[in-house]
Amino acid sequence: MVVQVVKAPVAAFRTGRRVALIGRYPERDPALPPYIPNLGLYLVASSLLAADLPDLDLRIWDDPLGDPDMIAAEIEAFDPDVIGGSAYVWSLPALMHIIGHLKTSDPTRLVVFGGPSARANMLAHMPFAAMIQPDVLALGEGEITMTEIVSLVRRDTETLGNVRGLAVRNGPGWKTTPPRHPAILDDLASPYEAGLVPQQGLAVMETYRGCPFSCAFCEWGEMDAPRNIRSVESISAEFAAIGENGRRTLLLVDAGLNLNRPAFVNLAKAAEETGFLKHRNLICEVYPARVREEHVKFLDGVGNPHIGVGLQSFDNDVLDEVERNYDEARFNTILGELRSVASLAIEIILGLPGDSPEAFRRNFERARALPFALRVYHCLVLPSALMKRSPKEHALDYDPVTLKMRSCLGWTRESLAGAVDFVHEQAERDGGLSGEFFWVFPSPQSSRQSVNVLRS
């Protein structure tokens, strides 16, 4: 018997350096601010510009309300050689629609997707599986990866297979290359210093990447290089560039203010030396079990700090299912300390595997009894989280586009839909906001004006 091995043909792509980068913010959502810059997209753009690539012609499309057909026509007129898409759960449908037009008109354009939804398991869902697919997925950090792709003098599937940190389209499947080493954060060009970030919305900044925890519902990823942090000098320079950009509110996108101590020490020192945060708003997450006196002191020196406290559930049995835990005594003590220096919002998740309608209702009522704002997130089955890490007994059923949980261990479709209706009704009753993916409730002592600190 003769076994014939059929190899996927080697696809060749354009070699020019006309690059289109596409981002898309969620459409109007009552629970979200009008616009938050896509930091990843602008970091890729600034990295490409800093690489001083010959003949580079770079343009960015980052319009939250632009019609996909109109955007596709504008990009078509630009005629890019390489197209980079920032793929999130809210942007992926529009991105797939846009690249369908662009690849149909010229299949030799190279399409690279990066971001949390740039994953083979996500694209295997309908309707995406039936659509024209990107050629390459940048897995993990994309700044150096995209720069290396654009710098290539030959672009074919064989050559791309030698670039680290990719999944390259290989016939009906994907070929994954070895992982890329983490980028040195201090070496990345600043999009604020380059003048690329629009002068609207919030300023966005990171001091480290990854997370020391591996909660099953979360897509932060491992902290591969905990010592790879931004220096005091780098943070101070970013503060200055953000100030020139005119932003009064800084969103810290680190996994938590207090989950990487060297990064926090540098942030605190830069803030003290520059005075940048004394009269500004700061939005960040805090992990309650790791709050120390130094964190409280730092927050006390910020003009207007808004802290999200990711509890997810008061029930340790539920948290065990998603690799999380909760220390009630420690939690209550920390809340008191943080409350003295910052505005707090407790965060819980609706629809976690192992939870139940009754337990969630108890958690909700308990959270609403606290003197803090509350954010309730609809559990999402994210590509690098529950979608690949949930055991079979969780019996996940979720929307393939929005990724919102529809049923799972502890939840029937009817009971989860009923809980969603309940939270909607409570938000309307309490003057809260109902969004596509989460709900925001004001503190019992506050006015509706403070219901969404992201709008400050």
Side-chain angles (χ1 to χ4, degrees):
M1 178 179 178
V2 177
V3 178
Q4 184 177 11
V5 178
V6 179
K7 294 185 177 180
V10 175
F13 302 100
R14 293 189 188 186
T15 58
R17 296 199 174 102
R18 189 179 292 114
V19 180
L21 297 182
I22 314 171
R24 190 172 183 87
Y25 192 66
E27 296 182 5
R28 295 298 186 198
D29 188 316
L32 284 171
Y35 176 73
I36 299 176
N38 184 328
L39 182 61
L41 181 78
Y42 290 104
L43 278 166
V44 168
S46 58
S47 296
L48 287 170
L49 292 173
D52 194 25
L53 296 166
D55 304 320
L56 177 68
D57 187 358
L58 171 67
R59 299 191 193 179
I60 299 172
W61 278 262
D62 185 25
D63 184 354
L65 300 177
D67 176 72
D69 286 328
M70 184 178 299
I71 293 172
E74 291 176 359
I75 298 174
E76 176 72 34
F78 174 54
D79 192 25
D81 305 301
V82 180
I83 301 160
S86 182
Y88 287 81
V89 63
W90 54 81
S91 65
L92 186 60
L95 288 179
M96 294 294 286
H97 182 85
I98 291 167
I99 70 162
H101 283 280
L102 298 172
K103 289 289 283 185
T104 298
S105 66
D106 189 343
T108 66
R109 293 185 174 115
L110 178 65
V111 174
V112 183
F113 276 7
S117 287
R119 299 292 183 269
N121 57 352
M122 182 69 187
L123 295 174
H125 288 80
M126 294 296 290
F128 308 123
M131 301 172 75
I132 292 176
Q133 301 272 305
D135 305 298
V136 173
L137 306 178
L139 307 177
E141 301 176 347
E143 298 92 350
I144 308 304
T145 302
M146 190 65 168
T147 301
E148 186 173 338
I149 289 172
V150 175
S151 70
L152 291 173
V153 294
R154 282 185 58 202
R155 297 193 196 110
D156 54 51
T157 51
E158 185 174 355
T159 304
L160 290 165
N162 295 320
V163 177
R164 285 180 171 268
L166 298 182
V168 181
R169 191 73 180 167
N170 184 33
W174 299 89
K175 175 187 175 182
T176 303
T177 67
R180 178 172 294 279
H181 301 301
I184 305 300
L185 295 188
D186 271 11
D187 291 345
L188 295 179
S190 165
Y192 287 98
E193 292 184 23
L196 293 173
V197 183
Q199 291 185 321
Q200 59 177 313
L202 313 173
V204 184
M205 181 177 174
E206 61 182 350
T207 65
Y208 68 93
R209 290 180 175 174
C211 182
F213 302 106
S214 57
C215 305
F217 55 82
C218 184
E219 220 168 19
W220 273 108
E222 296 179 358
M223 192 178 288
D224 293 326
R227 302 295 300 186
N228 180 14
I229 60 176
R230 294 189 73 163
S231 66
V232 175
E233 295 74 21
S234 173
I235 295 171
S236 297
E238 194 77 337
F239 282 163
I242 288 171
E244 290 183 10
N245 187 261
R247 301 302 87 204
R248 303 299 304 173
T249 298
L250 176 64
L251 173 62
L252 198 65
V253 295
D254 300 334
L257 178 72
N258 58 337
L259 292 182
N260 185 317
R261 188 171 187 277
F264 168 76
V265 168
N266 287 357
L267 173 67
K269 187 173 182 181
E272 181 180 8
E273 290 180 354
T274 63
F276 178 78
L277 294 174
K278 281 185 178 179
H279 304 291
R280 282 184 166 83
N281 305 307
L282 174 68
I283 302 169
C284 62
E285 293 289 315
V286 164
Y287 189 76
R290 293 196 178 189
V291 171
R292 303 291 182 263
E293 183 179 351
E294 61 185 348
H295 305 117
V296 177
K297 180 181 177 182
F298 166 78
L299 292 169
D300 194 31
V302 174
N304 194 14
H306 299 280
I307 307 302
V309 182
L311 174 64
Q312 321 316 345
S313 173
F314 290 96
D315 190 331
N316 268 318
D317 288 337
V318 174
L319 293 176
D320 282 344
E321 292 286 347
V322 289
E323 302 172 56
R324 195 70 181 264
N325 60 67
Y326 161 65
D327 182 334
E328 182 170 358
R330 177 68 176 157
F331 182 75
N332 292 334
T333 299
I334 292 305
L335 288 186
E337 294 176 2
L338 291 174
R339 186 188 182 192
S340 67
V341 296
S343 299
L344 301 187
I346 304 301
E347 300 167 347
I348 63 175
I349 299 178
L350 167 62
L352 281 172
D355 204 353
S356 68
E358 298 76 20
F360 171 78
R361 182 75 68 93
R362 289 194 299 270
N363 280 322
F364 176 85
E365 298 295 349
R366 186 171 177 181
R368 288 301 291 139
L370 295 171
F372 313 117
L374 171 66
R375 289 198 281 269
V376 180
Y377 292 88
H378 194 132
C379 184
L380 302 185
V381 182
L382 299 171
S384 295
L386 285 171
M387 195 183 293
K388 77 170 187 178
R389 290 195 270 145
S390 194
K392 287 185 178 180
E393 56 266 27
H394 280 179
L396 305 185
D397 172 27
Y398 54 94
D399 186 287
V401 176
T402 69
L403 304 186
K404 290 193 283 190
M405 191 76 78
R406 295 188 295 210
S407 69
C408 61
L409 177 66
W411 296 93
T412 64
R413 277 205 180 197
E414 293 75 17
S415 65
L416 187 47
V420 167
D421 291 340
F422 165 76
V423 179
H424 272 305
E425 293 166 2
Q426 295 300 303
E428 185 174 348
R429 184 199 70 179
D430 294 348
L433 298 172
S434 295
E436 173 68 18
F437 298 104
F438 66 102
W439 300 262
V440 185
F441 295 81
S443 164
Q445 288 86 14
S446 68
S447 67
R448 184 182 175 88
Q449 279 187 321
S450 65
V451 68
N452 187 358
V453 298
L454 286 176
R455 293 183 177 273
S456 57

